[in-house]
Amino acid sequence: MNVTLLAFAGGIIIIALASYAGYLLLQLKKQKELQQQHTKLAIDKRNANIFENVRILCLAGIQGQCDLSEISIRVYNIMDYVQGEDRVDFDKEFPATSELYHLVKEMARGDERQQLAKKERMKQNLERHKAESRLAQAVIEELKQLQEKVQPLNNQINIQMV
């Protein structure tokens, strides 16, 4: 009788521990799902911010408020930060903008440009202007396409901490 009682008590303890382990596994699964949802929301919010900036840059390029070479550098670089399935293969989808970016990305800008000799600055200006004039129409069309592409993706998400 004593052995039976000990076996019964041991069985109850094992069942209780197994139930608790199952409960903990279920909680862990819920926690992982919640973390994935928060990660997805954070990525979506970041992408929405990036797309809003890209939309504004495209508008500035289309309206001629900024040099196309500068727009191509900014748009190409900022779109590199998009995460998830909204990522864009810029070289394939927007070849003219990509070509202009690759032509001017190594050229000096800002203070670095001011340090160059006048002859070198003029040479880079000429190269940049040639590339811009050759690719201007195609880049503007691609900026319009990009602006239309990111507009529906720009779903602003308000995240509040609970």
Side-chain angles (χ1 to χ4, degrees):
M1 171 99 178
N2 216 2
V3 173
T4 308
L5 188 59
L6 286 175
F8 181 69
I12 288 177
I13 291 172
I14 289 174
I15 289 173
L17 289 175
S19 297
Y20 185 62
Y23 169 76
L24 289 177
L25 285 174
L26 184 63
Q27 292 297 98
L28 183 63
K29 181 181 176 189
K30 285 181 183 178
Q31 184 181 15
K32 283 184 179 181
E33 288 173 357
L34 190 60
Q35 283 176 340
Q36 286 175 345
Q37 288 174 352
H38 281 290
T39 301
K40 185 180 180 332
L41 278 174
I43 288 172
D44 288 346
K45 183 174 181 182
R46 182 172 187 234
N47 285 350
N49 187 25
I50 290 171
F51 293 144
E52 179 61 22
N53 290 330
V54 167
R55 190 186 65 76
I56 292 168
L57 286 170
C58 288
L59 188 61
I62 292 167
Q63 293 176 349
Q65 296 175 356
C66 189
D67 291 337
L68 291 178
S69 58
E70 187 68 27
I71 293 291
S72 69
I73 290 170
R74 290 174 186 254
V75 169
Y76 191 96
N77 285 327
I78 198 169
M79 287 297 287
D80 194 39
Y81 290 103
V82 174
Q83 294 176 311
E85 62 249 3
D86 294 333
R87 253 183 109 66
V88 175
D89 182 6
F90 226 84
D91 293 331
K92 191 166 86 173
E93 290 188 44
F94 303 103
T97 306
S98 176
E99 181 181 347
L100 184 58
Y101 165 75
H102 290 296
L103 285 171
V104 298
K105 73 179 177 182
E106 297 300 324
M107 291 183 184
R109 296 170 48 199
D111 290 337
E112 186 181 317
R113 186 177 188 293
Q114 296 301 322
Q115 302 299 325
L116 290 177
K118 186 174 182 179
K119 187 175 182 180
E120 184 62 29
R121 260 187 300 184
M122 296 297 265
K123 180 182 173 191
Q124 285 187 2
N125 276 349
L126 181 63
E127 261 182 71
R128 184 173 50 84
H129 285 299
K130 277 182 177 178
E132 279 182 5
S133 62
R134 181 174 53 87
L135 297 168
Q137 268 317 108
V139 170
I140 290 173
E141 287 304 312
E142 287 179 0
L143 289 176
K144 289 177 183 176
Q145 290 172 7
L146 181 60
Q147 188 178 29
E148 289 173 14
K149 181 177 181 132
V150 298
Q151 187 64 34
L153 298 175
N154 187 12
N155 50 350
Q156 293 291 335
I157 300 168
N158 294 321
I159 296 178
Q160 297 177 350
M161 296 305 283
V162 179

